[in-house]
Amino acid sequence: MEKGGSIMNLEKLSTYESNQLLNSDEFDWFNPSMYKRVVELGFRNVEWNEIPDELLLYLFLHDEPSLGSKRKETTKKEYFREAKQFMDYVFQTSGSIRSLHHEDVQNYQLQLEQQGYKSTTLRRKSVVIQQFLSYLVNKGIIDDDLTKSMKRISVKKETLVNRDFYDTEVQALLDYYQEEDYFMYTLLYVLISTGLRIQELADAKWGNVFYQPEVGLYFLTVVGKRDKAREVPIFEDVLEVIKEFRMRRRFTGELKNDGTPFFPKASGQHYSFKYLSQKFSNEILSLQGQFEFINQRVQREEAMKEEGHNIKYRITPHTCRHYTASYFLSKGADQKAVQDLLGHESSSTTDGYLRRKRKFEEHAAVKVGKTFMSH
């Protein structure tokens, strides 16, 4: 398939020709043209025994699981990376996905574990492989449901990233950045006050800010995971900060649809969410000598690593979402409202955000006080 779109006739496509096509520099894994051709032809009319395994992976990437929604390009690339790694293993061991055995799938999971991947990473990789194998069974391409032999990945809550972010830390960083770095000041202020995911912030548009007179608040409409739109609050003090940031970059602070990003580059383009995430985390980490609490976080993380525990304590954009959840809860919002604010599908996700806050606030020691014995 050329990147422009013309494809070969799949009914007459030999295994050799398919392999030549898939391994050529011309093949674009993320171009949907060949998938559309398969749909036109009909899956039942394709001679699957003559189709190489790589094409099965290609079809999996483009065959959306539900109508009315499409996988994001970033999701497709992640699925491709994980499934391609699995396919490479298949070629080295079984030769083909069609001759794969239950033990082979188990051995692959064990091999990943031996390579030192974290439990959360193992779970992500396993989910993609599980979806890929289920897809092949559902399409009738393979007969045996190999997912039945896959091991569940246990992720203990205690081994997850520590997302605690305290008021004193937040205020210290805001005070510092307000004087030293208005970019970071704006970024931090927006993240902690809205609970936005960093990709949502990167993709947000200035024209989607609006005032809701019934409640007297400004909101920003963003599109989150699974293409769900939601409104996040933009408090007046936060709005003034973002307006100032935009005007420093020669963009309007007036609320109008001017086609610019909510948080624009100087060029007027959207930031890459990966750049913003790395920039945010690295800038805060660079203040290790400036703030003792950052230094303590780094030292605690290194100490845990030496003991064989992979717990992260560094401040990242996602840390801000946890702070937002705790902040709104402390102001009287109920957990369902916080769940809606953050765009969580499940209440258990929100509960996980608030678990550590409750762990300390409801601790038995709080009932005793600061000293054990009263004198």
Side-chain angles (χ1 to χ4, degrees):
M1 176 175 63
E2 295 180 358
K3 291 189 177 182
S6 64
I7 63 173
M8 296 182 181
N9 188 332
L10 288 176
E11 295 164 299
K12 299 178 180 178
L13 192 60
S14 70
T15 302
Y16 173 78
E17 290 171 329
S18 299
N19 279 315
Q20 290 293 104
L21 177 63
L22 290 160
N23 292 322
S24 72
D25 293 334
E26 295 295 323
F27 187 74
D28 184 354
W29 284 93
F30 304 102
N31 186 326
S33 299
M34 184 181 286
Y35 171 71
K36 292 177 181 178
R37 174 68 181 120
V38 173
V39 172
E40 291 172 0
L41 181 66
F43 276 82
R44 62 184 177 182
N45 296 319
V46 175
E47 294 292 336
W48 293 113
N49 291 332
E50 297 296 324
I51 297 299
D53 288 357
E54 290 93 335
L55 184 55
L56 304 180
L57 170 54
Y58 168 84
L59 295 174
F60 166 68
L61 292 176
H62 292 278
D63 199 348
E64 302 290 351
S66 58
L67 295 175
S69 65
K70 292 186 176 181
R71 292 190 183 114
K72 294 181 179 180
E73 288 302 309
T74 52
T75 302
K76 286 182 180 179
K77 289 178 180 178
E78 179 184 334
Y79 278 25
F80 173 75
R81 182 178 64 251
E82 305 301 354
K84 187 67 166 63
Q85 182 182 7
F86 175 65
M87 295 291 280
D88 291 340
Y89 165 81
V90 170
F91 295 148
Q92 294 172 6
T93 55
S94 303
S96 171
I97 197 82
R98 297 171 179 84
S99 56
L100 201 62
H101 190 270
H102 285 267
E103 288 185 1
D104 296 321
V105 179
Q106 291 180 349
N107 288 336
Y108 179 69
Q109 287 186 296
L110 290 173
Q111 186 181 100
L112 291 177
E113 184 181 34
Q114 291 168 1
Q115 291 175 15
Y117 287 111
K118 296 184 296 182
S119 296
T120 50
T121 304
L122 286 172
R123 182 167 62 180
R124 187 190 72 239
K125 288 177 176 291
S126 293
V127 166
V128 174
I129 302 310
Q130 190 172 34
Q131 290 183 6
F132 179 41
L133 292 174
S134 294
Y135 174 79
L136 297 180
V137 171
N138 292 336
K139 288 297 183 184
I141 298 170
I142 60 176
D143 298 324
D144 204 358
D145 185 1
L146 300 172
T147 64
K148 294 179 179 179
S149 299
M150 294 185 70
K151 300 287 187 180
R152 294 175 58 187
I153 308 298
S154 175
V155 181
K156 296 180 181 179
K157 291 183 178 180
E158 289 74 16
T159 64
L160 296 174
V161 177
N162 185 323
R163 301 293 190 186
D164 289 339
F165 202 9
Y166 303 105
D167 288 338
T168 54
E169 297 175 333
V170 170
Q171 193 59 58
L173 289 172
L174 285 174
D175 291 343
Y176 175 82
Y177 283 130
Q178 187 173 17
E179 297 295 329
E180 302 294 334
D181 188 339
Y182 208 81
F183 171 92
M184 282 295 295
Y185 176 64
T186 306
L187 184 55
L188 175 60
Y189 211 171
V190 170
L191 289 175
I192 61 171
S193 62
T194 62
L196 284 168
R197 300 179 178 93
I198 195 66
Q199 184 162 2
E200 293 170 343
L201 174 59
D203 294 340
K205 298 177 181 178
W206 181 243
N208 288 338
V209 178
F210 64 95
Y211 181 71
Q212 189 67 25
E214 288 86 350
V215 294
L217 289 173
Y218 291 92
F219 291 89
L220 168 67
T221 301
V222 296
V223 179
K225 289 184 176 181
R226 290 168 289 279
D227 290 329
K228 285 188 62 177
R230 76 178 192 282
E231 285 68 45
V232 297
I234 305 295
F235 295 99
E236 291 185 1
D237 53 339
V238 182
L239 185 59
E240 291 306 310
V241 170
I242 192 68
K243 283 181 176 180
E244 174 66 22
F245 173 78
R246 289 174 57 84
M247 289 188 287
R248 289 187 182 197
R249 297 200 160 186
R250 303 182 185 279
F251 297 107
T252 183
E254 297 180 27
L255 293 183
K256 62 179 183 179
N257 190 1
D258 62 353
T260 62
F262 177 77
F263 191 78
K265 284 183 176 182
S267 65
Q269 301 299 312
H270 287 270
Y271 277 101
S272 157
F273 78 91
K274 290 184 178 180
Y275 171 82
L276 284 181
S277 181
Q278 292 173 357
K279 173 76 171 175
F280 181 89
S281 303
N282 291 339
E283 286 294 330
I284 290 183
L285 185 60
S286 70
L287 297 179
Q288 186 176 348
Q290 183 80 17
F291 295 105
E292 182 58 25
F293 66 84
I294 297 178
N295 183 49
Q296 289 176 353
R297 284 172 173 269
V298 174
Q299 290 181 345
R300 195 174 181 187
E301 184 175 311
E302 291 175 348
M304 285 290 181
K305 190 173 183 179
E306 289 177 0
E307 295 175 11
H309 305 299
N310 191 24
I311 303 179
K312 302 292 184 183
Y313 289 92
R314 303 184 190 196
I315 298 170
T316 69
H318 203 74
T319 313
C320 296
R321 276 173 61 80
H322 287 249
Y323 176 82
T324 307
S326 296
Y327 181 85
F328 276 87
L329 192 71
S330 70
K331 294 298 183 180
D334 60 37
Q335 187 164 324
K336 180 61 170 65
V338 174
Q339 177 184 341
D340 293 339
L341 170 70
L342 298 178
H344 287 155
E345 284 285 319
S346 170
S347 60
S348 62
T349 304
T350 312
D351 186 67
Y353 276 41
L354 302 170
R355 180 179 58 85
R356 283 185 62 83
K357 180 179 177 64
R358 290 195 304 271
K359 176 181 178 180
F360 288 105
E361 289 182 348
E362 299 172 7
H363 200 286
V366 176
K367 304 298 182 181
V368 176
K370 293 184 178 180
T371 58
F372 184 70
M373 289 287 211
S374 298
H375 297 287

